[in-house]
Every structure is written in C-alpha cells, then in structure tokens.
Amino acid sequence: MTPYFTQLTPLSFLRRSADVHPDREAVVYNDTALTYSQFAAMAESRARAFRAAGVRPGDRVAYFMPNVPEALIAQFAVPLAGAVLVAVNTRLASEEVKQIVDHSQAKMLVVDSGLVDVIAHVEFETVETIAVVTDPAAGPASVEFPELADLADAIGDGGKALNWSVADENSLISINYTSGTTGAPKGVMYSHRGAYLSAIGGLIHSKHSADSVYLWTLPMFHCNGWSTGWAVAAAGGKQVCLREVRDRVIWELIDRHRVTHFNCAPTVMISVLGSDRAHRLDSPVTVTLGGAPPSPSMAQEMRQYGFVPIPCYGLTETHGPYAVCEPQDSWQHLDDTTLAKLMSRQGVGMIQAERLRVVRLGPRDGDDLVDVPADGQTMGEIVMRGNNVMIGYFRDPEATERAFDGGWFHSGDLGVMHPDGYVELRDRAKDIVVSGGENISTVEIEQALMSHPAVIEVAVVGVPDDKWGERPKAFVLADNSHSITESELMEYLRGQIARYKVPRQIEFVNDLPKTSTGKIQKFQLKEAEWAGREFLIN
C-alpha cells in the first residue's frame, strides 16, 4: 500500500456523505425518507444479507425492481458485499428476464413484490436464492419468497466486517444489458473505476451540489441510472424515488420537493411538456437528455417552461453519457432557432472521457483509423475510448474484439465532425437509407420534421422501392391542436432538406414503438414494411 494512491470506487461517496452529513435527507419515497446515516446502514444490512445467502466476491446479484429506494440501495449494497450488480429491465417478460439472469450466471435474485408474478414460475439455471422486497405501494407478493431484510438474521453472516473500499478498482461493479433492439441483449461490464469517474462527470456536467434534489425519472436499470445515484450521493444531495413515470406525478413531485434535476429520454420530456399539469417553473430544473437528439422545437419549449436542457450522447457501453453539447459564450445572443439547432448536436467528450472521433468507413491506413474532414458534411463512424468505456461484453470475447477494433470502441453510430470540434449524429449505421446509390440520413429527416410545430415525434426508416432499392418513409405523431396534412409536411420538408431526401410517404400514427428507456424501435417499423421481401437492402 502506498500513501499516494487509493483504488477508486463509488462506494466511497456514500461512506463520506454518511460521515459528513449523517442527518441530511438522502432518499425520499412517498411519505418516507432516509438520512445519509440510515442510507449507509441499510446498504450494510443488505450486504450482510447477501453474504448470509452465500454470495461471495465476484458473484452476480440480479435485481428486478422499479425506481424505489431498494434499487438505489442495491447500487451500494451489492458491491459492498464484493458482488456484481445486474439490474434487470422491469418491462421484460418472463423468458426475457430468464435469458439475462441465466446469461449473467446470477447466484441471487432480488425482486420487487409487485413484479413477483413475472418470475414466480421461472426455473433459473444458476440462481440459488430468490428474495423479495415488499413495497407497500405495490402490495404483498403473490408468491411467497423470503424477505431480503430477514436473510441476515435468519441465516447469519458470521459477523464478517464490511469494507467500503476495493482491492482492485478495475474489478466489476455491475453488468448492464443492452436493450436488444438489434439482437440478443449483451452484458456490458462496468468497473469500479469507470463507475466512479462516470459519476464525477455527471456531477460536473449536470451541475449537482448538496442542494440538488434529483427526481428518478430515468430507469435505474439503465446504465445504473447513468451513474447518477452515485453522483448525487457524492454531492450530498437528495434523491426522490418514483415507482412509475407518469407526467402528472412528475409535476406533483417537482412542486412538492422543489426538484432541481432529472434525467430522461426526449420521449419522456414530451409527455412532461404535454401534461395538463404543466406550468411555468418557480425555479429552473436541469434536465439531462439522452437516448436521442432533442429537436430544436423541444429545446425551445423546455426553456419557455423554465427547464434547462443538457443534451448528452452515449450508449450502454459508455456508462450512458459520454459527450455533452456544452454551450459556448458566443451562443448567448443567438436567436432561439439557431441556438436550438446548435444544442441538438451531440457535442464534445465529457470531462472524464476523451475527445470524440469520427472515422472513415471502409479501408484504413494500415491498422490506423482515419478521421473524416471536420467539414460538417462527411459522414463516418463515431468512436470513443477512455475511463467510461466498458471493460467488454460478459462471456462474449468475439463481440468485445469487434467492438474494440483498432483500439477504440465502435459505436455503430454515423456522424459528422463540425469545424468547431462538435460532433453531430446523423444515423445508426444500420439505419442509413441507401437510395439509388445516395446515403440518406434518417436522423437528418427526423430533425427537419421535428422543427415543424405540429410534429411531436417522428421515426424515419428505409422502405422498399422498385426503382431506387429503398426510399425513406416517415411515421409522424402529430399534435391534435394543429391541422396538418401529408402534402403540407412534404412541402415543408422541401424547404428544409434536399429533394432527394424527402420521404416518399408520411404516415400519421397514434404512437411509436419504444424500448423501456424511451428509444424508438425503428426495427419494428422497418420489419413491417419489408414483410414478404427476401432481404433488407440495408
């Protein structure tokens, strides 16, 4: 041991806040609250329960739970026991839960009482203990399992001391599974070091402090909630838990607790802005947005209500946010439309990350990746590396090797590099529309459509075309307060983008298919359009 080095772990955040601010409110849920000393004590109690159930260092503990205090406690309690947290998407069906729990080789599964029905009759391959946590808001479990809180007392943990530090900062703290929109979910491995530094980045860029009141609208199972639970604990702020994301409840909690921050995908923000309880805020609320680029019109509307948007970009493989569209001083006097367009870019690497690169597709210069010109026009693949890039995919060395080709993480996203060094996302590589030899960015079309005040949400995909191979088609969710026709939107687009990029058809829909984290599932739309065809051109 040396006096000038300690291993990094987010466990240290809660230990410090419990020491420095023991009586400060840390977690609030409905009519109950935990101070920081109680928060830390509960983490220790749960860690002892895991040990009592036979969980050993390196074992995986799966959690199937909504955004309730127990899920937040798990982010500290599981690693405190030396184990690895696997937070499972609460919207999955039984077989999907089994797939993830089995692949992670979890030794223990902790389930919320309201979700017991989903897993009650599943036969897991490696799970030895299933424990339930009863939430009064959900009622008792329909099938009897031991209560997690009772395990340590019932079995006994031998009185072994708990250590709020780690021997190796590069050891696993969690495995987070991708949404599986392009195939089977992959287990993304996070280290203690990566989690620590990702939390520091979020703390800085979202401007958290001891006065932060953070509302949990983002699922904790998604990238460990973008490391925000660790970040707010580091700041000594308050975290408000939310079992179900509903726009009226969000507004009620904002007003009751004087919320200062929340994170979400643009789809959630759309519901918040469209709520019948929406009103001008008494004080600003910082909203970190990710999952899709916010439209210029959304950014304008957010500011009108008093929300401060912070657009971020990242993937599960980068602990969530990796880049931020950081505003420049020179943008302060720009008109709203120009500012919103600049702020819809993905931006620059965050403080804990490195610079984003956009590299040429196709042949390389030997083993080296070649950057595209910084002209805001030439598309390439966005690649990343640094402290908050994953260790790799769990039990999938081949996929890890492909993702790290050339020494950088390959995002699969296509973008351009602007002269000012800011990156703008243009598409997923799999979603680019190749029409008559021309590459058409679906994101560019979506942004153009979203700039129309009548458009709430949009998804553009490539559909078959006998002459051009494929052409873009837009699916639009429109505001009922506006009267808009397909031909009017087509004409509007012709003034925004090149004519060859304008979709051949615009279909108005009542909703769009989404993942549990709010990402639009384009593949569902695309598969329906290509049904009966032998192959997809793209």
Side-chain angles (χ1 to χ4, degrees):
M1 179 180 294
T2 59
Y4 52 82
F5 175 81
T6 56
Q7 306 285 342
L8 300 181
T9 172
L11 290 173
S12 64
F13 298 147
L14 179 53
R15 180 202 55 75
R16 179 185 185 277
S17 288
D19 288 344
V20 179
H21 310 292
D23 300 323
R24 179 179 290 172
E25 278 194 350
V27 183
V28 175
Y29 178 56
N30 295 335
D31 296 325
T32 63
L34 296 174
T35 65
Y36 268 103
S37 61
Q38 292 169 331
F39 189 6
M42 288 194 72
E44 290 187 338
S45 173
R46 298 302 185 251
R48 294 187 187 283
F50 300 143
R51 286 186 174 181
V55 172
R56 296 295 176 258
D59 286 343
R60 271 72 65 198
V61 176
Y63 259 69
F64 190 46
M65 196 163 289
N67 284 7
V68 293
E70 199 68 43
L72 182 58
I73 292 165
Q75 296 192 3
F76 295 92
V78 174
L80 185 59
V84 180
L85 174 64
V86 181
V88 182
N89 186 332
T90 56
R91 298 182 184 177
L92 297 181
S94 301
E95 284 304 308
E96 294 170 312
V97 174
K98 173 178 169 56
Q99 180 184 16
I100 287 174
V101 173
D102 286 350
H103 183 268
S104 70
Q105 299 176 323
K107 192 169 187 177
M108 184 172 181
L109 171 63
V110 183
V111 60
D112 178 84
S113 60
L115 297 173
V116 164
D117 282 348
V118 180
I119 59 90
H121 305 293
V122 176
E123 294 186 6
F124 296 103
E125 294 177 1
T126 60
V127 171
E128 297 177 2
T129 304
I130 297 177
V132 69
V133 176
T134 300
D135 179 1
S142 58
V143 178
E144 187 174 342
F145 289 108
E147 284 281 344
L148 177 62
D150 296 336
L151 284 182
D153 293 335
I155 306 173
D157 70 348
K160 295 178 182 177
L162 294 167
N163 193 343
W164 286 84
S165 61
V166 293
D168 181 6
E169 62 184 19
N170 293 311
S171 61
L172 292 188
I173 190 171
S174 65
I175 301 174
N176 290 276
Y177 279 79
T178 59
S179 60
T181 56
T182 59
K186 295 190 286 290
V188 177
M189 297 186 289
Y190 292 175
S191 69
H192 283 258
R193 174 183 173 82
Y196 180 102
L197 292 169
S198 179
I200 293 294
L203 192 153
I204 292 171
H205 290 287
S206 292
K207 300 178 175 60
H208 284 293
S209 71
D211 296 324
S212 290
V213 180
Y214 177 75
L215 177 61
W216 272 105
T217 51
L218 181 77
M220 292 186 198
F221 63 71
H222 182 49
C223 309
N224 298 121
W226 296 352
S227 301
T228 310
W230 295 317
V232 178
K238 183 189 299 184
Q239 304 189 50
V240 181
C241 290
L242 174 63
R243 186 176 182 89
E244 295 181 55
V245 177
R246 299 195 302 270
D247 58 89
R248 290 177 61 87
V249 178
I250 290 171
W251 277 105
E252 192 272 326
L253 293 175
I254 287 174
D255 293 338
R256 188 203 309 178
H257 295 290
R258 300 192 63 81
V259 167
T260 62
H261 295 75
F262 64 86
N263 301 344
C264 67
T267 51
V268 174
M269 198 65 230
I270 288 170
S271 71
V272 171
L273 295 172
S275 173
D276 59 8
R277 295 196 62 167
H279 56 267
R280 176 73 186 179
L281 295 163
D282 294 333
S283 56
V285 174
T286 298
V287 182
T288 303
L289 291 160
S295 69
S297 57
M298 177 194 292
Q300 289 181 12
E301 188 175 4
M302 287 178 67
R303 283 192 288 272
Q304 290 169 1
Y305 278 101
F307 294 107
V308 180
I310 300 182
C312 287
Y313 163 72
L315 305 92
T316 302
E317 289 87 344
T318 60
H319 291 250
Y322 179 98
V324 59
C325 191
E326 196 152 340
Q328 297 290 320
D329 293 342
S330 59
W331 299 356
Q332 292 181 7
H333 304 295
L334 296 174
D335 63 86
D336 286 344
T337 301
T338 303
L339 176 62
K341 186 173 179 60
L342 289 172
M343 290 297 292
S344 68
R345 299 183 297 177
Q346 281 55 55
V348 294
M350 295 169 69
I351 193 73
Q352 82 283 5
E354 290 203 17
R355 293 183 63 186
L356 290 168
R357 290 179 67 190
V358 182
V359 300
R360 189 173 66 194
L361 301 170
R364 298 185 190 169
D365 182 8
D367 293 331
D368 294 332
L369 304 175
V370 179
D371 292 272
V372 302
D375 56 11
Q377 298 293 327
T378 307
M379 280 200 296
E381 185 180 17
I382 299 172
V383 297
M384 295 163 272
R385 70 178 183 188
N387 296 304
N388 60 328
V389 170
M390 66 172 180
I391 295 174
Y393 295 116
F394 186 62
R395 298 176 61 200
D396 198 343
E398 293 81 8
T400 301
E401 185 176 1
R402 289 194 301 272
F404 290 165
D405 185 30
W408 289 72
F409 168 67
H410 290 254
S411 67
D413 290 336
L414 300 182
V416 299
M417 178 68 75
H418 285 275
D420 61 0
Y422 280 56
V423 167
E424 180 183 355
L425 179 67
R426 288 292 171 87
D427 229 318
R428 290 287 297 177
K430 62 180 176 60
D431 287 334
I432 203 78
V433 176
V434 183
S435 183
E438 294 282 359
N439 289 341
I440 301 175
S441 165
T442 60
V443 170
E444 183 180 9
I445 301 170
E446 288 163 358
Q447 288 289 296
L449 281 166
M450 285 295 289
S451 67
H452 192 287
V455 176
I456 298 175
E457 283 188 293
V458 62
V460 176
V461 301
V463 300
D465 186 279
D466 292 336
K467 180 178 180 180
W468 302 109
E470 63 176 344
R471 288 282 295 157
K473 175 181 177 180
F475 296 83
V476 170
L477 177 64
D479 187 342
N480 291 331
S481 65
H482 290 78
S483 177
I484 188 71
T485 66
E486 181 183 23
S487 59
E488 288 171 338
L489 268 185
M490 291 280 201
E491 186 59 34
Y492 176 77
L493 278 180
R494 293 186 185 102
Q496 301 290 316
I497 55 178
R499 296 181 73 88
Y500 75 89
K501 299 178 182 178
V502 175
R504 74 171 189 182
Q505 182 184 358
I506 296 175
E507 180 179 332
F508 292 97
V509 297
N510 293 323
D511 54 54
L512 291 166
K514 299 184 183 74
T515 68
S516 58
T517 55
K519 294 182 181 178
I520 295 173
Q521 294 180 302
K522 288 188 180 183
F523 77 94
Q524 290 192 20
L525 301 171
K526 197 168 186 177
E527 286 176 354
E529 294 293 329
W530 287 83
R533 298 274 177 151
E534 292 186 3
F535 60 89
L536 301 180
I537 287 180
N538 184 35

